Amino acid sequence: MSLSCELPKATRKRLVQFLQILKTWQNDRIKSSDFAGLTGCTESTVRHDLFLAGFAGGVSNGYIKADLINFLTVKLGFETENMEFKKCCIVGLGRIGAALLDDSIFQNSGFQVGCGFDSNVNRVEIMRSTFPLYPAYEMEAVIKKEKIKHAVLCVSEKDAQNMADRLVRYGIKGIVNMTQTFICVPQEVHVADANPALALMSLLKYN
């Protein structure tokens, strides 16, 4: 699985959105205005992102859906043939973390959940999932043994920074932050903030 590291972070994020839109798009062609309307970015941004990615298949009446799906699937590293899935872990098994125990959520993402962690040992023993669950004190050993580089952080706000610091020490290079706390990490570690409340707050300007 060859990820396109040369793409700017914001561009890659939008291209992933474009690919998800294409998978449910009903017509054979799609225009930059369609992408813009569904993502909130401008038409020129759509065209520029596809230009940066190296796609040259645009015409006046839109992009051919099948061609663009094939291009983005390969460019973003999501080709399914011989794809090497990357392991991630879920840290915090409260209500949000528990919802992610349904690993079908991660289908077609290029990732598979390797394990979950929680500070509450009783919770770990009671909960059931298709992947192993461990008490948080075993994180370092398990993450290093399983060679996990990505984590979904679902702990409480008061524990978010401390847990993020631990994950960085244990070798995690990418964190999906489901908390409302903005965590600080070294430059080489990437964070994607995905808390639903913050996402809703960002929509207030459109009211």
Side-chain angles (χ1 to χ4, degrees):
M1 178 176 172
S2 56
L3 296 177
S4 47
C5 300
E6 75 278 7
L7 289 172
K9 187 176 180 180
T11 294
R12 178 179 172 83
K13 182 178 180 179
R14 286 190 294 268
L15 291 177
V16 171
Q17 290 180 312
F18 297 166
L19 182 57
Q20 295 305 311
I21 289 169
L22 286 165
K23 289 179 179 179
T24 57
W25 191 251
Q26 298 299 312
N27 299 324
D28 294 333
R29 291 182 180 274
I30 186 169
K31 297 181 179 180
S32 55
S33 58
D34 296 319
F35 283 126
L38 291 168
T39 61
C41 63
T42 64
E43 293 181 47
S44 60
T45 298
V46 173
R47 292 190 290 269
H48 184 62
D49 285 342
L50 293 174
F51 170 78
L52 286 180
F55 185 74
V59 291
S60 58
N61 61 339
Y63 304 100
I64 298 174
K65 172 184 171 180
D67 291 348
L68 193 49
I69 285 178
N70 291 337
F71 174 82
L72 291 177
T73 297
V74 174
K75 184 67 179 180
L76 296 171
F78 297 144
E79 61 271 30
T80 55
E81 184 178 356
N82 299 321
M83 180 161 57
E84 180 185 349
F85 285 91
K86 291 183 177 293
K87 286 184 180 180
C88 66
C89 63
I90 298 171
V91 181
L93 300 175
R95 278 181 286 186
I96 293 177
L100 299 179
L101 295 182
D102 177 6
D103 56 1
S104 64
I105 295 171
F106 297 87
Q107 275 187 332
N108 302 317
S109 69
F111 287 85
Q112 61 181 186
V113 182
C115 56
F117 301 98
D118 197 275
S119 298
N120 187 322
V121 177
N122 185 57
R123 181 180 290 162
V124 169
E125 292 175 346
I126 292 175
M127 301 183 81
R128 295 290 177 265
S129 72
T130 58
F131 46 85
L133 305 178
Y134 301 94
Y137 63 77
E138 293 188 32
M139 278 203 314
E140 181 174 14
V142 174
I143 286 174
K144 291 181 177 180
K145 177 184 177 182
E146 299 296 327
K147 299 179 179 178
I148 295 172
K149 297 298 181 182
H150 298 82
V152 182
L153 187 62
C154 305
V155 297
S156 65
E157 274 61 44
K158 66 181 180 63
D159 295 326
Q161 185 60 58
N162 176 60
M163 194 62 75
D165 292 340
R166 290 176 63 183
L167 290 170
V168 171
R169 289 201 304 272
Y170 303 156
I172 293 295
K173 297 300 182 184
I175 299 174
V176 175
N177 181 21
M178 301 291 290
T179 79
Q180 293 188 50
T181 298
F182 289 97
I183 57 176
C184 298
V185 297
Q187 187 174 1
E188 67 272 14
V189 178
H190 300 284
V191 175
D193 291 303
N195 180 269
L198 293 179
L200 284 169
M201 290 168 66
S202 71
L203 298 178
L204 287 175
K205 65 178 179 178
Y206 299 110
N207 287 349

